[in-house]
Amino acid sequence: MGIVSVLFGLGRHVVSMMAWFTSTQLYPLLQWLWARLLILRRCVQPACRRLFVTLGWRKDPVRSIEVPEETDDQDSDPVRECPEQVRPPGHSDRQPGPGDIPGRAGASAGELTDDESDGEPDEGEYRVETTDELYCGYDSTWETEENQRSPPRGPNRRSAASRSYKFSRFESAAKDMQNYRHDYPNMSQRWPGPVSDDKPNLNFYLGWKPSKPDDIYINTFHDEWTGNYYALEHVHTYIQWLFPLQEPGVNYEASPLTKEEIQGFLNNSTVKKNLLKSYTLMLDFYGIKLCDEGTGEVKRAHNWRERFNNLDNHSHNNLRITRILKCLGNLGYAHYQAPLVRFFLEETLVHGQLPNVKESVLNYFVFAVLDRKERRNLLKFAYSKYARQDEFVWCPKKIQRIWSRPQAQQGMKSF
């Protein structure tokens, strides 16, 4: 019996050690590897696509389009890869509720969406043809209502500029950001599988349920993780709980946000206050301070040099900031998006900080902003401050020529 007890105790100890190793060492490593694989895929996919087209293994989706002869009864290209005209489900079937804007479930009052006119007097000038040198079919920033009803006719072509690696990176990112701005129109096809119906994200923010797999309640995050920079940097399972989205993340124990949960977030003052605390917690981690809770204005924190250095050397934080911006847009803080993006544009393009973040700011952060007029203003600012404007690929050449007019240049001095 003594030997059996010893063996049993030894076996239990071994099992405990294996469980500890899996939860504290192996799981974070797998999370880190998965995040790196996602980044690698985003970098390699455009290059592979161009290689396959060059070798003839795959048709160029733009060059392979046959452009029919224009006639009075033909008002659009027969094939178009970009589904930009697809409207979110709420446009036709759902009547807007309190605080909603038609076109986006749960949109805040005063918020503009991609499918609404922003009321600018020169709206017609923003119409961009598919023949533009830097036309991106996944970017609705320059579309008008007329564009969206009937795509402009004419051949799609690729210039040397739009075939560049920089433009390919932007185009790949634009596809993801368009899907977000249009409220995930093909969500069920992209992410099949069961979705939890017990509102785990909402219950977590109400303080009724801990995060998984860490078993930490929302108040504990706010009380004990603020300033705990080591944990915020090296633990990779909390960000999906603090900033839930309608798309899955690398933490398989976190559930995607549902439409019902979005309404719960928007209608509960406690939840909204907790989300604001989560936002300020992460801003502090990045060396940023929220100055005005009304406008969302931000500035450098006192320890910004140390925190900027960490941010610039850990690229997975670019993905986290993109998630934060998307979450703000979904859950009632859309007006916070543009001030944060403007901050990063100033730091990267004006002050020369965060060189490893600059591409993410231009490819992802700007295009997470739901308000189309704000996106245009941010891109105008970015263009005015970009060192080599001839290499600027984040808006069509037509728009750049408009901004390069003498009167526009005078306006840019006020930025």
Side-chain angles (χ1 to χ4, degrees), residues 173-314:
K175 185 175 183 179
D176 172 64
M177 304 314 293
Q178 173 206 248
N179 191 53
Y180 157 72
R181 293 195 310 270
H182 282 70
D183 209 25
Y184 307 96
N186 302 313
M187 187 184 307
S188 58
Q189 291 87 341
R190 290 191 62 188
W191 304 307
V195 177
S196 176
D197 59 356
D198 63 351
K199 300 181 180 179
N201 298 293
L202 183 60
N203 289 333
F204 167 72
Y205 257 95
L206 287 168
W208 299 346
K209 177 178 181 176
S211 66
K212 296 294 181 181
D214 305 303
D215 286 325
I216 300 176
Y217 286 87
I218 185 65
N219 291 336
T220 303
F221 272 116
H222 296 158
D223 296 339
E224 300 181 10
W225 283 55
T226 299
N228 188 351
Y229 300 144
Y230 183 88
L232 291 171
E233 178 58 49
H234 295 284
V235 178
H236 300 282
T237 50
Y238 69 88
I239 196 70
Q240 291 85 8
W241 288 96
L242 289 187
F243 300 97
L245 299 177
Q246 296 178 78
E247 57 190 88
V250 297
N251 181 359
Y252 68 91
E253 294 192 57
S255 298
L257 194 66
T258 65
K259 301 292 186 184
E260 293 75 17
E261 286 181 313
I262 291 176
Q263 290 302 320
F265 270 84
L266 295 175
N267 297 328
N268 190 294
S269 59
T270 299
V271 169
K272 292 191 71 173
K273 289 179 182 178
N274 280 334
L275 181 59
L276 181 58
K277 290 180 181 179
S278 297
Y279 180 54
T280 56
L281 181 153
M282 292 305 296
L283 287 180
D284 174 72
F285 173 57
Y286 296 129
I288 307 171
K289 180 179 180 181
L290 180 64
C291 305
D292 191 324
E293 292 186 5
T295 64
E297 179 187 356
V298 295
K299 67 177 183 180
R300 290 176 176 178
H302 69 281
N303 58 345
W304 67 271
R305 293 184 185 276
E306 170 201 344
R307 303 316 310 153
F308 275 25
N309 182 64
N310 181 81
L311 173 58
D312 202 46
N313 286 286
H314 295 88

Side-chain angles (χ1 to χ4, degrees), residues 43-61 163-165 168:
C43 296
V44 172
Q45 190 177 38
C48 290
R49 183 167 57 247
R50 293 196 302 273
L51 176 62
F52 292 161
V53 170
T54 302
L55 296 176
W57 295 351
R58 177 180 176 181
K59 291 184 178 181
D60 189 321
R163 287 196 300 269
S164 69
Y165 174 72
S168 296

Side-chain angles (χ1 to χ4, degrees), residues 19-40:
W20 173 85
F21 178 79
T22 301
S23 61
T24 62
Q25 306 295 323
L26 183 59
Y27 184 76
L29 176 62
L30 292 175
Q31 295 278 16
W32 182 86
L33 289 173
W34 178 253
R36 292 302 181 274
L37 285 174
L38 291 177
I39 296 172
L40 181 63

